[in-house]
Amino acid sequence: KNQKMIVEALEAMSEGEAMDLKAKLESEGKTSFKVCTLGQTFTLTKDMVSISKVIKKEHQRVFTPSVIEPSFGIGRVIYCLFEHCFYTRPSKAGDEQCNVFSFPSLVAPKKCTVFPLVQNEKYEATAQLISKSLTAAGISHKIDMTGASIGKRYARTDELGVPFAITVDFDTSATIRERDSKDQIRVPVEEVASVVKEVTE
């Protein structure tokens, strides 16, 4: 009546255990065999069990996986992007670590930020003018008129993964800063939008 459970226990043996059992059956003609699932020990004789080692040639193996997960949503792509683009670097003072998302300019949600160097009506008017030219060129951007220091505004920009920061420090020209290298170039106000468009595309 326990044949099925005994057969399953025999099939679950490792090759070494099976060879040991085979040797006992051949030398003694019988052996005791414990079935853990039943908690019982049975006597097996060599006419009940045949154990042999053979070489089999398989022409085709059919494998049915037990788990298939075909879904691949945008969330995983975004997570990978975050994972590969995030890093930290020391602040200018060297007393803290600043977070940076180094999104390539083609995939960055915002291509640049615009802010005046200081709170000044002339600089703010120029910043608004640059913002309008960026909008007309189809460049997504963020304008920051807060009174925070220029270093803090750069850090905010880097943390958001914005590739370029445009600082208005003259009436007729502005500084464009690249996020990862921190390199800066000076560009006339009327050329800012075309320069940013060229480097982002």
Side-chain angles (χ1 to χ4, degrees):
K1 68 177 183 180
N2 295 312
Q3 178 188 350
K4 185 181 177 185
M5 302 291 280
I6 294 170
V7 169
E8 287 177 356
L10 286 166
E11 289 175 345
M13 287 191 301
S14 66
E15 185 181 329
E17 290 170 337
M19 291 298 105
D20 289 343
L21 186 65
K22 175 182 168 71
K24 280 186 182 180
L25 287 170
E26 287 178 351
S27 62
E28 301 172 15
K30 64 178 182 178
T31 185
S32 58
F33 181 69
K34 186 174 181 180
V35 180
C36 295
T37 52
L38 292 172
Q40 295 179 42
T41 302
F42 299 88
T43 301
L44 301 180
T45 60
K46 64 179 180 181
D47 59 336
M48 291 180 184
V49 184
S50 172
I51 298 172
S52 58
K53 190 174 179 180
V54 296
I55 295 174
K56 227 166 118 181
K57 188 172 182 181
E58 288 187 351
H59 295 282
Q60 181 182 5
R61 172 176 276 191
V62 178
F63 173 72
T64 305
S66 57
V67 178
I68 301 174
E69 191 167 355
S71 63
F72 194 83
I74 189 67
R76 299 181 191 200
V77 178
I78 295 296
Y79 176 81
C80 288
L81 184 66
F82 287 169
E83 177 74 18
H84 285 279
C85 292
F86 180 79
Y87 70 97
T88 59
R89 64 184 174 197
S91 62
K92 193 172 182 180
D95 56 347
E96 61 179 336
Q97 291 293 314
C98 297
N99 298 327
V100 182
F101 271 118
S102 59
F103 298 137
S105 55
L106 280 172
V107 300
K110 300 288 184 188
K111 308 302 180 190
C112 61
T113 51
V114 183
F115 36 75
L117 182 64
V118 292
Q119 286 186 311
N120 175 293
E121 284 187 14
K122 285 196 298 184
Y123 290 172
E124 287 176 4
T126 305
Q128 292 288 1
L129 184 67
I130 291 172
S131 177
K132 286 180 183 176
S133 66
L134 290 167
T135 302
I139 300 166
S140 59
H141 65 283
K142 181 176 180 288
I143 190 162
D144 186 350
M145 295 290 193
T146 60
S149 69
I150 191 70
K152 283 187 178 178
R153 283 185 281 180
Y154 279 150
R156 285 179 197 164
T157 298
D158 297 342
E159 196 167 32
L160 292 171
V162 181
F164 301 100
I166 301 164
T167 308
V168 179
D169 47 5
F170 280 98
D171 296 344
T172 56
S173 65
T175 301
I176 300 178
R177 170 190 179 266
E178 199 274 327
R179 176 196 58 221
D180 299 315
S181 66
K182 298 184 184 178
D183 290 342
Q184 299 184 15
I185 58 167
R186 181 164 294 283
V187 178
V189 168
E190 60 274 10
E191 294 179 18
V192 168
S194 60
V195 169
V196 172
K197 190 173 181 66
E198 185 178 347
V199 294
T200 54
E201 293 181 357

